[in-house]
Amino acid sequence: MKHPTQLFRKPFLSLLFILINTTLFAQEKYTIRGSISDVINGETVLGASVYLKGTTIGATTNEYGFYSITAPKGTYTLIVSYLGYKEIKKEISLTEDIKLNFELEEASNTLEEVIITADEDIEKLNVRKPQMGVVALKAETIELAPAVLGEVDLIKTIQLLPGVSNNGEGSAGFNVRGGAVDQNLVLLDEAIIYNTSHFFGLFSVFNNDAIKNVKLYKGDIPARFGGRTSSVLDVRQKEGNNKDLELNGGIGLISSRLAVESPMFNKKGSFLLAGRTTYAQLFSGLLDDLGNSNISFYDLNLKTNYEINENNKVYLSGYFGRDVFNISGLLDSNYGNVSANLRWNHIFNDKLFSNLSLIYSKYDYQIILDFDQLDWISDIENFNVKYDLNYYATDKLKIDFGLNGISYNLNPGEIVPSTPSSSVNPLILDQKNAFEAGAYVSAEHTITDKLTARYGLRYSTFNRLGQQTITNYANNQPVVYNQELGIYQSGTAVGSTPYSRGQTMRKFGNLEPRLGLSYKLTDKSSVKGSYTRTAQYLHLLSNTISVTPLDVWTPSGPFIEPQLSNQYALGYYRNSNDNKYSFEVEAYYKTTDNRIDYIDGANLLGNNTIETEILNGEARAYGLEFLLRKNKGRFTGWLAYTLAKSEQRSFGGNAGGPGINNGNWYNTPYDRTHDISLSGVYKLSDKWTFSSNLVYQTGRPVTYPSGQFEYEGSSIVIYDERNANRLPAYHRLDIAATYKPNRRPDKRWKGEWVFSIYNLYNRMNAASITFNQNYNTGVNEALRTSIFGIIPSITYNFKF
């Protein structure tokens, strides 16, 4: 049987040949191109709909507000529309190529015109467009969700969507369609963010005052993205107000924030500077007995741009964030992300748009253990160069293509004595270096009035580079099975091989085809199908759900293969009552090869030979997602339900033995059978708006003891099969009320009060359950750990 990539090669080349010929011999046509922006602040608009009335010819603006549509010679009515803005209609005579820029004016909504969807026109186009599992959100949409401790949060909002979940309080990140946290590619202005959490996951690193819009690709990932097998979260920052000075901010019980936007260079550019910080102890009751302790975070967002001329524009954006967690006399930890991106947008002509990006990203953490007198340091950083081009070939065909290269430097750990009297010996683990490259081409093609296709091909390579000495093992087995003890243990080292700096230790290459089809049943309904193959070369090493940010990343290499995933999806989509209601149902099936897992008792920290602790395996996930939304009216919201399964298995392979769980399928730590979210917003009046979230998830899989026996005076615990048990179900209810006082029309100051309660009925959801022996009774007891209960808050937000 042929590999999926082989099946796609010949058809893909044939289609590309046909498309080129179609473009060359097209009839006489002309192109309209330009940009769409906000009339108040000059922000370019992503996803605005531009189309010719009475035809199927149209487009949506890209990430930089650019659009291009091509049509036969003639007279048309050009319509520009976007959620929350007044529609623009313009009569045009298309006898030559035209450049038209538009500025959209915000609509004055009545109570009956409140909308919570990401974009009404995107929702209409969603019926026809071939992309599946995509969620588009604006900052204004995120603001409507209940605020936890006064901070609206992007990650909390996307977790209310079908197919997206988390591991409860005290865990970072999010899980998509049965995938692990490290299988999500999270981008902030194209820079990779390796850890998305503040305050143990209660907040995310995304300051909503700095966010412009968000796209989450849950499975049908465009060919321009690579390096992860589960999803892509693409977050874009605001460019800054290029019309006038603007201030946004908020003052809360726990944290405060301030964002400043202003024009620059005689309004040929602008800047955004936004910051957040905490100034009070969170849950101080937990720390009263621990002396001088501290839990806090801060972050800073920056973005500026300059328009050189009408065809060239440069951007500079950056992010810096830090968390501090200190328990006096026990633990001192800090961690954070830093990123920067220098971009150049260039318009070659009416049909060709390009973007060149130079990107830097780093995540690091430091842990100081006072009682052990040691300092643990680790980090991962990368330098990335990307060049993307959009070619609007015809009214029925758009082609995207480009390439990128990423250089990785990974420091898995460094132990330094924290005091001169420390008994700890210094240790520096081997630094790891790698280079990943990719090239892609994809097309969105309207084949008929009913059938639309999106297809593409990505080729990725990964070079594991030297400046490291690799241990050699007998029979090339870093892990072996001990038949007598019935356990896996390290293989026998038989020497080592040194690699110089830049020398290739191992090289990988993978073809990653992507295909999406949409067939319009009626003007309001369609069916879609997609296939996506992705490769992931970095692995996050973690065998515990921990509140500490011990993220150790390792690259594929001599003993670790890249993860390879295939995902198939089928869906039905329907809008009704002029898009007042919308309904989506998607089924998916995903397989992942070379998903590593850990032998029992694995030691992942401070280990220079991590290959002796892992076994290779495979994973699969499948599910059914439902999303019902009410998009307009005083009451808006959605009901999301996911029925899913996520499993993994690991055979002994060359190491011998039965593998993990005797080679049988077992639940992944992020398996959720049922996941239900109900989110609603009710606008009572111009002054009062109420919102709430209700969340329910099946409990997280865990491994419990199933028995014990006495051996030489010691109690030995017998454990059940891996992840065969579950924590109690996770559920909570959040509510919020927003009050906007009357203000004089001639005043620019806008203020509002936000009252919120996180976890209204004080559900003590279990973060973990451990079993310890009571020294007084000698009986093993279960200890349930919960991190957050009910959390009320009040925040004052302002805009000037």
Side-chain angles (χ1 to χ4, degrees):
M1 181 177 179
K2 292 185 178 181
H3 195 274
T5 56
Q6 294 176 306
L7 297 175
F8 272 84
R9 289 182 190 176
K10 190 172 181 180
F12 178 82
L13 294 175
S14 299
L15 280 171
L16 191 59
F17 176 78
I18 294 171
L19 295 176
I20 292 172
N21 279 276
T22 301
T23 304
L24 290 176
F25 297 102
Q27 59 177 302
E28 182 183 8
K29 295 182 178 181
Y30 297 100
T31 299
I32 312 161
R33 64 98 164 173
S35 63
I36 311 295
S37 59
D38 187 300
V39 69
I40 299 298
N41 54 33
E43 285 277 354
T44 56
V45 177
L46 183 158
S49 178
V50 185
Y51 62 96
L52 301 178
K53 186 177 180 180
T55 75
T56 58
I57 300 173
T60 55
T61 53
N62 69 5
E63 289 83 355
Y64 306 97
F66 179 82
Y67 76 92
S68 176
I69 56 178
T70 301
K73 179 180 178 180
T75 301
Y76 300 95
T77 300
L78 182 70
I79 297 179
V80 181
S81 63
Y82 190 59
L83 169 71
Y85 289 84
K86 294 180 180 178
E87 186 177 79
I88 296 177
K89 294 182 180 181
K90 185 176 179 62
E91 300 296 325
I92 61 170
S93 179
L94 194 57
T95 58
E96 61 181 354
D97 293 337
I98 303 173
K99 179 183 177 183
L100 291 173
N101 296 331
F102 294 97
E103 291 188 324
L104 296 177
E105 183 180 349
E106 189 173 344
S108 55
N109 289 340
T110 66
L111 288 179
E112 295 302 324
E113 293 173 332
V114 180
I115 302 173
I116 196 172
T117 55
D119 181 341
E120 183 177 7
D121 294 298
I122 284 180
E123 293 307 319
K124 291 178 180 178
L125 290 171
N126 203 30
V127 170
R128 179 170 54 86
K129 283 188 169 292
Q131 196 137 43
M132 299 181 64
V134 180
V135 179
L137 297 171
K138 298 192 304 180
E140 292 83 357
T141 303
I142 299 170
E143 287 176 359
L144 294 175
V148 179
L149 290 173
E151 289 280 348
V152 293
D153 190 87
L154 164 62
I155 299 297
K156 287 287 188 295
T157 302
I158 66 172
Q159 287 172 357
L160 300 173
L161 299 168
V164 186
S165 63
N166 70 352
N167 267 318
E169 284 100 0
S171 63
F174 56 98
N175 305 97
V176 177
R177 291 187 170 178
V181 169
D182 68 305
Q183 293 176 324
N184 303 315
L185 178 62
V186 180
L187 303 173
L188 179 61
D189 275 351
E190 300 183 295
I192 300 173
I193 301 298
Y194 290 98
N195 188 308
T196 61
S197 70
H198 284 313
F199 269 91
F200 314 130
L202 189 61
F203 300 133
S204 79
V205 299
F206 302 110
N207 181 351
N208 206 60
D209 288 342
I211 293 174
K212 180 178 178 179
N213 43 55
V214 179
K215 271 194 175 182
L216 173 66
Y217 302 89
K218 294 190 293 184
D220 185 12
I221 299 174
R224 70 179 182 272
F225 297 115
R228 299 294 188 274
T229 60
S230 191
S231 74
V232 175
L233 182 64
D234 187 11
V235 182
R236 302 283 173 152
Q237 295 187 122
K238 292 179 181 177
E239 297 162 10
N241 192 323
N242 67 7
K243 300 292 184 73
D244 205 351
L245 175 67
E246 181 178 330
L247 299 178
N248 289 279
I251 302 171
L253 297 177
I254 301 301
S255 64
S256 289
R257 63 190 193 280
L258 179 65
V260 182
E261 303 176 49
S262 177
M264 297 175 64
F265 312 116
N266 197 26
K267 296 189 176 181
K268 295 194 69 175
S270 60
F271 79 88
L272 162 76
L273 183 63
R276 290 187 300 176
T277 186
T278 53
Y279 46 81
Q281 297 288 357
L282 180 63
F283 314 121
S284 58
L286 298 176
L287 304 175
D288 286 344
D289 298 329
L290 298 177
N292 185 24
S293 301
N294 178 42
I295 303 175
S296 62
F297 78 86
Y298 61 89
D299 52 26
L300 185 70
N301 297 77
L302 167 69
K303 192 168 184 178
T304 185
N305 65 85
Y306 176 70
E307 184 179 349
I308 302 172
N309 54 46
E310 64 177 13
N311 291 328
N312 293 277
K313 194 171 185 178
V314 292
Y315 300 82
L316 177 64
S317 60
Y319 170 81
F320 180 78
R322 206 85 195 152
D323 275 68
V324 176
F325 176 65
N326 171 256
I327 300 178
S328 181
L330 296 175
L331 174 68
D332 187 359
S333 171
N334 66 87
Y335 64 94
N337 298 276
V338 60
S339 69
N341 185 5
L342 177 62
R343 296 202 301 274
W344 170 42
N345 291 165
H346 176 61
I347 301 174
F348 286 95
N349 52 49
D350 293 336
K351 295 188 175 185
L352 186 60
F353 177 92
S354 72
N355 178 70
L356 174 65
S357 299
L358 306 177
I359 310 165
Y360 172 77
S361 182
K362 181 179 180 180
Y363 171 74
D364 71 281
Y365 64 82
Q366 179 183 35
I367 298 178
I368 301 174
L369 299 177
D370 294 338
F371 53 88
D372 280 341
Q373 296 181 327
L374 65 85
D375 188 350
W376 172 275
I377 304 169
S378 181
D379 64 75
I380 176 174
E381 68 175 349
N382 68 262
F383 300 87
N384 187 3
V385 179
K386 291 175 73 267
Y387 192 49
D388 301 295
L389 298 103
N390 309 133
Y391 179 53
Y392 300 82
T394 71
D395 57 312
K396 298 182 182 299
L397 177 65
K398 177 192 172 188
I399 301 174
D400 298 329
F401 53 100
L403 50 86
N404 78 292
I406 308 177
S407 174
Y408 294 102
N409 301 306
L410 301 95
N411 174 16
E414 180 178 347
I415 298 176
V416 180
S418 59
T419 65
S421 60
S422 173
S423 60
V424 175
N425 294 322
L427 171 66
I428 300 178
L429 300 180
D430 290 342
Q431 309 297 290
K432 297 178 172 64
N433 302 289
F435 183 78
E436 181 178 353
Y440 74 91
V441 59
S442 66
E444 186 167 321
H445 185 194
T446 302
I447 300 172
T448 69
D449 288 344
K450 291 183 176 293
L451 182 61
T452 306
R454 187 186 60 83
Y455 39 84
L457 184 65
R458 180 182 184 87
Y459 181 71
S460 60
T461 64
F462 189 83
N463 281 28
R464 174 70 183 276
L465 302 175
Q467 200 178 14
Q468 182 182 357
T469 298
I470 295 297
T471 302
N472 300 322
Y473 300 93
N475 301 317
N476 200 33
Q477 294 179 355
V479 179
V480 295
Y481 184 70
N482 188 316
Q483 294 282 357
E484 294 182 0
L485 299 178
I487 60 172
Y488 285 97
Q489 58 189 33
S490 300
T492 303
V494 292
S496 61
T497 302
Y499 291 88
S500 59
R501 183 179 182 85
Q503 183 180 359
T504 297
M505 299 165 59
R506 192 172 177 192
K507 184 176 182 179
F508 305 93
N510 285 285
L511 282 172
E512 305 174 37
R514 319 284 168 91
L515 173 65
L517 296 171
S518 173
Y519 185 79
K520 188 170 69 171
L521 299 173
T522 68
D523 288 339
K524 297 181 179 180
S525 64
S526 67
V527 292
K528 301 181 186 181
S530 69
Y531 166 74
T532 303
R533 180 172 175 84
T534 51
Q536 178 171 335
Y537 300 99
L538 293 182
H539 310 259
L540 179 62
L541 301 176
S542 176
N543 62 350
T544 182
I545 302 297
S546 174
V547 297
T548 56
L550 296 176
D551 290 351
V552 180
W553 292 81
T554 191
S556 299
F559 301 107
I560 301 178
E561 301 288 329
Q563 300 177 61
L564 302 174
S565 177
N566 296 286
Q567 182 170 169
Y568 311 84
L570 184 66
Y572 172 77
Y573 306 81
R574 181 174 179 82
N575 296 328
S576 61
N577 274 14
D578 192 26
N579 199 48
K580 185 175 183 179
Y581 299 95
S582 60
F583 174 72
E584 302 174 12
V585 57
E586 289 189 16
Y588 66 89
Y589 180 79
K590 179 170 61 176
T591 63
T592 304
D593 297 329
N594 306 320
R595 180 66 183 168
I596 61 175
D597 208 343
Y598 314 99
I599 62 176
D600 293 334
N603 176 27
L604 303 182
L605 297 179
N607 191 337
N608 221 11
T609 55
I610 201 69
E611 64 271 9
T612 63
E613 307 292 334
I614 60 178
L615 288 178
N616 204 32
E618 60 180 339
R620 67 183 182 188
Y622 45 93
L624 194 62
E625 300 173 357
F626 299 87
L627 180 61
L628 175 63
R629 288 191 284 195
K630 185 175 184 293
N631 301 318
K632 299 179 182 180
R634 289 197 182 193
F635 176 78
T636 56
W638 67 78
L639 172 64
Y641 172 64
T642 305
L643 175 66
K645 191 66 180 175
S646 176
E647 299 175 303
Q648 187 168 339
R649 66 178 175 184
S650 300
F651 299 108
N654 293 333
I660 298 173
N661 201 43
N662 292 317
N664 298 318
W665 290 102
Y666 54 93
N667 297 324
T668 65
Y670 25 88
D671 173 64
R672 296 287 188 275
T673 307
H674 303 285
D675 189 341
I676 305 172
S677 299
L678 179 61
S679 182
V681 177
Y682 181 72
K683 186 166 185 179
L684 179 65
S685 65
D686 289 334
K687 291 184 178 182
W688 285 99
T689 301
F690 301 92
S691 58
S692 66
N693 295 327
L694 178 62
V695 178
Y696 174 90
Q697 293 178 353
T698 301
R700 175 169 58 85
V702 291
T703 305
Y704 288 156
S706 58
Q708 64 180 22
F709 63 91
E710 297 293 327
Y711 179 75
E712 295 184 355
S714 298
S715 178
I716 308 299
V717 177
I718 303 172
Y719 284 90
D720 206 342
E721 294 183 342
R722 183 168 296 195
N723 291 344
N725 313 106
R726 290 186 182 272
L727 293 177
Y730 176 97
H731 53 88
R732 72 171 200 274
L733 174 65
D734 311 326
I735 61 172
T738 302
Y739 174 69
K740 297 181 179 180
N742 287 327
R743 70 180 184 90
R744 289 168 48 187
D746 59 333
K747 295 295 185 180
R748 292 187 58 193
W749 183 274
K750 298 179 182 179
E752 65 179 24
W753 291 93
V754 180
F755 309 91
S756 66
I757 302 179
Y758 178 86
N759 196 358
L760 177 65
Y761 51 85
N762 197 30
R763 165 74 175 179
M764 303 305 294
N765 288 295
S768 66
I769 294 181
T770 57
F771 295 84
N772 300 300
Q773 190 176 62
N774 187 308
Y775 290 103
N776 295 324
T777 64
V779 177
N780 285 331
E781 297 177 340
L783 177 63
R784 174 173 173 159
T785 301
S786 299
I787 299 178
F788 303 130
I790 184 172
I791 308 176
S793 66
I794 180 173
T795 301
Y796 179 73
N797 297 322
F798 59 87
K799 182 177 182 180
F800 175 77

